[in-house]
Amino acid sequence: MNANFKNKKSFVESMFDPDAAVVDEICPAGEPWVKIVREGQIFRIVDLEGNQAVDTLFYNASHAVERYSATDTIRRQKKIYLTTGSKLYSNYGNVMLTIVADTCGRHDTLGGACAAESNTVRYALEKFPMHSCRDNFLHALAHEPECQQLGISKRDIPSNINFFMNVPVTEEGGLEFVDGVSAPGKYVEMKAEMDVVVLISNCPQLNNPCNAYNPTPIRLLVWDDPSEMSFT
Amino acid sequence: MNQPDAYLWEQHIPGGCHWSGILRRGTTLRMTDVSGGANASVLFFNQEEKLERYNMADTLKSQHTFRLTKGHACHSDMGRIFCCITADSAGWHDTVCGLSDADLIRRKYGTARYQEHRNQMFRNGLDGMLIELGKWGLGMRDVVSNINFFSKVTANSAGELTFHSGNSKAGDHVDLSFEMDTLVVLSAAPHPLDPSTTYQPGAVNLAAFATPSSAIAECAHISENQRARQNTECLYACHGGAA
Ligand SMILES: [Zn+2]
């Protein structure tokens, strides 16, 4: 494991109390989850049992052509891993969300989402019928009102974030998928800088050792803008 | 392997300019960095069904690589490959940093409009891409993570990126042997992380020729590429049947 990665600086705990959250939901393994998070709200993803991959996309809630961009996020910060302080940029160069707390330390945005078709390439041609993240995304696009209102289709599915995934890159240009970053209860928390539609596939991948071949549930929480909370 | 007599066509793309066209399966596109330091930003689409497009993530993870070079294939998002890289004298091509845009070019190099500079005006990667995409009914929704041929960007153990100037020399070339009928969209604007303080994007020469039989197996040492190739063969053999 890389030494710098153990840098404690990126481990920042949240000050928010789950009891005060306005959204507190469980997304089972292998299912999609969609929600609008408003500008100023705080959004937390909890890896309940550890080493789960949470494939996540963001869209501008009023203009879906604006969406999360892995390349803008990488090149504007000159960094391939995401953690506390990372800004999540759109394809228009705007900050969509900022990561404000992270007890995992590193999240991936290179590895993309699994798909039935890519499973045939990565594992075996017979894997085609297995459940996948892109199937989850497409299911959500067909059923979730927030997605239907945006008018998005497969055309609007770009490179995503894999929260809790560890995909180290070497200086020589190698890339691997390894486990051991996340653990039960680890979480990542971000502040929305615009109104966004969150589209998640809680990855159902059964062919990859990094989740111990055991996809597990996640917990999703949203808090109202702390600067607008009244204390009367 | 230089076979100018066998060229089907050639096209000169001045630095900063853009181009798009169809490359048929069985043909090879040779891109040459004319004067050194060029950057060719490229996207691929299935010519028949343009919803199928280059996928950075599938390309990297199926080959366990962060850089592209000879022996790698460029994968689609549908489990197939567009092309194999069958020759490469530059050694490293970036596929994670995306495109320059108008704002970045203005901040880095200032403004040079057509009114004063004619075709020496400053162009950017995103707009070049959008102009070419528009010719095929495509647009901003189709701008996904692209390849930046000739550009080398490394990551240290903390994930911090470094752009390596001088990766590609005058005359360096990369051969893409197509296995799918492919729409190629290209912009020769500067790499977004190029630290050069003057706007001087390098010219790229394009030449297409029939893929030599010796090049066919170049990507086959990676079993993931073999399976993606089987899927690609099936697209044509089965008339669009199973993936
Ligand atoms: Zn997945």
Side-chain angles (χ1 to χ4, degrees):
Chain A
M1 190 164 294
N2 300 315
N4 282 349
F5 165 55
K6 282 288 179 195
N7 188 345
K8 286 275 184 280
K9 221 167 49 182
S10 57
F11 289 70
V12 172
E13 295 199 17
S14 168
M15 57 181 188
F16 293 101
D17 175 6
D19 289 339
V22 293
V23 172
D24 184 355
E25 297 178 5
I26 302 288
C27 176
E31 292 193 15
W33 186 86
V34 176
K35 193 72 71 182
I36 294 181
V37 177
R38 300 285 172 194
E39 180 181 348
Q41 284 187 319
I42 303 292
F43 173 51
R44 182 193 294 180
I45 308 174
V46 186
D47 184 4
L48 288 173
E49 297 182 27
N51 289 332
Q52 179 58 9
V54 184
D55 293 49
T56 305
L57 285 168
F58 299 103
Y59 299 87
N60 179 330
S62 53
H63 179 236
V65 180
E66 178 162 24
R67 64 198 190 195
Y68 174 71
S69 167
T71 52
D72 282 84
T73 299
I74 289 169
R75 74 121 162 123
R76 287 173 191 274
Q77 296 168 110
K78 293 178 96 173
K79 208 164 172 194
I80 51 175
Y81 309 125
L82 307 177
T83 186
T84 308
S86 297
K87 296 178 188 311
L88 310 182
Y89 280 91
S90 78
N91 55 341
Y92 284 72
N94 297 316
V95 180
M96 304 186 85
L97 304 101
T98 303
I99 298 180
V100 292
D102 179 18
T103 60
C104 178
R106 177 187 283 189
H107 308 272
D108 161 67
T109 192
L110 292 177
C114 63
E117 290 78 10
S118 70
N119 281 346
T120 71
V121 171
R122 294 189 67 202
Y123 305 111
L125 294 178
E126 310 79 66
K127 302 288 186 182
F128 180 77
M130 294 182 72
H131 190 26
S132 71
C133 281
R134 191 165 63 203
D135 284 4
N136 260 339
F137 286 149
L138 292 170
H139 184 277
L141 295 186
H143 291 284
E144 299 289 340
E146 292 88 348
C147 292
Q148 289 170 316
Q149 278 160 20
L150 284 176
I152 53 178
S153 70
K154 174 178 178 289
R155 207 176 158 190
D156 303 288
I157 302 177
S159 294
N160 56 283
I161 300 172
N162 293 306
F163 286 112
F164 309 113
M165 279 281 289
N166 186 21
V167 183
V169 167
T170 68
E171 206 128 358
E172 296 71 40
L175 173 144
E176 50 183 328
F177 286 70
V178 298
D179 58 5
V181 179
S182 195
K186 297 270 187 187
Y187 60 81
V188 58
E189 192 170 282
M190 52 213 106
K191 177 172 179 280
E193 311 284 2
M194 64 168 74
D195 292 356
V196 295
V197 171
V198 182
L199 172 56
I200 282 176
S201 164
N202 192 18
C203 185
Q205 185 56 259
L206 288 175
N207 297 290
N208 198 324
C210 58
N211 63 358
Y213 309 101
N214 179 32
T216 49
I218 53 171
R219 182 181 180 189
L220 302 134
L221 301 112
V222 178
W223 288 266
D224 278 331
D225 187 341
S227 67
E228 288 182 2
M229 282 181 188
S230 68
F231 297 96
T232 50
Chain B
M1 179 185 62
N2 193 16
Q3 40 180 268
D5 295 342
Y7 284 169
L8 302 168
W9 54 261
E10 273 192 90
Q11 177 86 38
H12 180 77
I13 313 296
C17 293
H18 40 81
W19 176 89
S20 60
I22 304 290
L23 269 295
R24 299 284 173 192
R25 57 200 301 253
T27 61
T28 294
L29 176 67
R30 172 168 297 179
M31 294 191 287
T32 304
D33 180 347
V34 176
S35 49
N39 175 66
S41 300
V42 166
L43 281 173
F44 300 121
F45 300 84
N46 177 342
Q47 184 260 331
E48 286 179 278
E49 174 45 86
K50 297 187 186 64
L51 258 183
E52 177 170 8
R53 56 204 183 182
Y54 173 69
N55 189 291
M56 172 267 277
D58 287 354
T59 299
L60 295 184
K61 70 186 175 188
S62 61
Q63 301 175 96
H64 291 88
T65 187
F66 182 66
R67 64 166 182 157
L68 298 182
T69 186
K70 180 182 172 179
H72 289 139
C74 300
H75 288 245
S76 84
D77 65 341
M78 293 293 282
R80 293 184 274 254
I81 59 173
F82 288 108
C83 55
C84 285
I85 302 176
T86 51
D88 176 23
S89 61
W92 190 302
H93 308 276
D94 159 57
T95 185
V96 308
C97 291
L99 303 160
S100 62
D101 60 25
D103 184 51
L104 179 145
I105 294 295
R106 197 182 310 111
R107 278 187 288 108
K108 244 166 119 170
Y109 306 109
T111 302
R113 304 185 305 174
Y114 182 82
Q115 170 75 35
E116 295 83 18
H117 298 269
R118 298 302 189 235
N119 284 312
Q120 304 305 309
M121 65 180 172
F122 292 175
R123 308 176 197 228
N124 67 80
L126 176 61
D127 285 343
M129 207 60 104
L130 288 171
I131 288 165
E132 293 303 327
L133 287 170
K135 296 175 183 177
W136 305 87
L138 305 175
M140 193 65 173
R141 296 166 72 190
D142 306 290
V143 179
V144 290
S145 308
N146 61 284
I147 305 176
N148 289 309
F149 284 105
F150 303 116
S151 294
K152 177 177 181 177
V153 179
T154 58
N156 68 12
S157 59
E160 291 153 355
L161 297 178
T162 300
F163 180 91
H164 296 259
S165 300
N167 175 57
S168 173
K169 314 274 188 300
D172 273 342
H173 68 272
V174 55
D175 286 356
L176 308 176
S177 296
F178 283 84
E179 304 206 358
M180 196 191 301
D181 289 339
T182 300
L183 167 63
V184 178
V185 182
L186 181 152
S187 167
H191 189 281
L193 295 184
D194 190 332
S196 170
T197 50
T198 51
Y199 185 86
Q200 46 186 11
V204 176
N205 217 69
L206 306 179
F209 52 90
T211 300
S213 53
S214 59
I216 299 285
E218 199 58 66
C219 298
H221 62 287
I222 298 173
S223 56
E224 283 86 345
N225 289 348
Q226 287 185 26
R227 289 193 287 275
R229 246 176 149 159
Q230 278 179 269
N231 288 341
T232 312
E233 284 300 315
C234 204
L235 174 67
Y236 295 97
C238 312
H239 301 284

